[in-house]
Amino acid sequence: SGSIPLTVLTATSPTGSGQANPNSVLQGENSVLTVIVTPGSNPTSAGIAVRADLSSIGGSGLQPFFDDGVSGGDAVAGDNVFTYTTTVDPTATPGGKALPFAILDAQGRSGNGSIALTVQQPPPPADHVVISQLYGGGGNSGAAFTNDYVELYNPTGNSVNLAGWSLQYAPATETSWTSKQPLGGIVGPGEYFLVKLG
């Protein structure tokens, strides 16, 4: 009689961590979603697949990620980094999203996690004239222009009368507005208005 020593190893499931780049986007913008997989062990995971539920941003509920260096995935096949470039649907609701993903291997094991992505609140439509450019180095040694200037832009659908408006400015060392340039004239919808200064 005798005995045979045997160690039974515990199998582990694959795990993964997810990230989005960029992790905060506007509706209609792209983000590269990545899942970095740690294979299961005993035996080591083979045939790893990753899929995610992107329905909260207007995508597929079973979106496969790629690890083939061709179909939008990373450049190194078999390195357990899975990616997918997604476009956030223009109708996706703003706010923080946790995009769930699942990892499957050929041994029948699975793991899961989520990718954090924020859909930004779209900026409100502009309802006023804005400063589109300014130049404060006019006349200085090596300056590109002889005068300072401020360029205004009207992003609205209506003409804006600048009567009664003014530009006010001060050097960085001052604590109050020291100069005032009265304005006048009409800026049409989508038009620019150039103000020549000192």
Side-chain angles (χ1 to χ4, degrees):
S1 64
S3 63
I4 300 173
L6 176 66
T7 301
V8 179
L9 301 175
T10 303
T12 64
S13 297
T15 59
S17 62
Q19 63 185 21
N21 185 24
N23 61 9
S24 184
V25 293
L26 289 167
Q27 297 159 329
E29 292 185 338
N30 295 338
S31 181
V32 178
L33 308 178
T34 302
V35 175
I36 301 173
V37 175
T38 299
S41 60
N42 305 319
T44 301
S45 292
I48 297 172
V50 174
R51 63 179 181 229
D53 180 357
L54 306 183
S55 57
S56 66
I57 57 171
S60 169
L62 292 172
Q63 177 60 56
F65 280 37
F66 303 101
D67 186 35
D68 59 4
V70 177
S71 304
D74 58 289
V76 182
D79 66 355
N80 299 320
V81 177
F82 293 77
T83 62
Y84 179 73
T85 300
T86 188
T87 301
V88 176
D89 192 273
T91 62
T93 56
K97 311 292 181 185
L99 308 174
F101 63 81
I103 305 166
L104 308 171
D105 67 14
Q107 290 71 40
R109 298 171 298 191
S110 64
N112 55 60
S114 65
I115 300 170
L117 178 69
T118 299
V119 179
Q120 299 172 20
Q121 184 75 33
D127 59 357
H128 55 275
V129 171
V130 298
I131 295 175
S132 61
Q133 288 188 44
L134 61 86
Y135 184 75
N140 292 350
S141 175
F145 301 103
T146 304
N147 292 80
D148 296 347
Y149 70 81
V150 174
E151 182 184 70
L152 304 178
Y153 174 64
N154 178 5
T156 74
N158 301 307
S159 293
V160 175
N161 187 342
L162 298 180
W165 292 39
S166 65
L167 291 172
Q168 298 181 39
Y169 55 99
T173 56
E174 295 293 330
T175 57
S176 62
W177 302 107
T178 57
S179 300
K180 179 177 179 180
Q181 173 65 52
L183 299 176
I186 305 292
V187 186
E191 290 186 349
Y192 294 87
F193 190 89
L194 183 62
V195 182
K196 177 183 175 181
L197 298 170

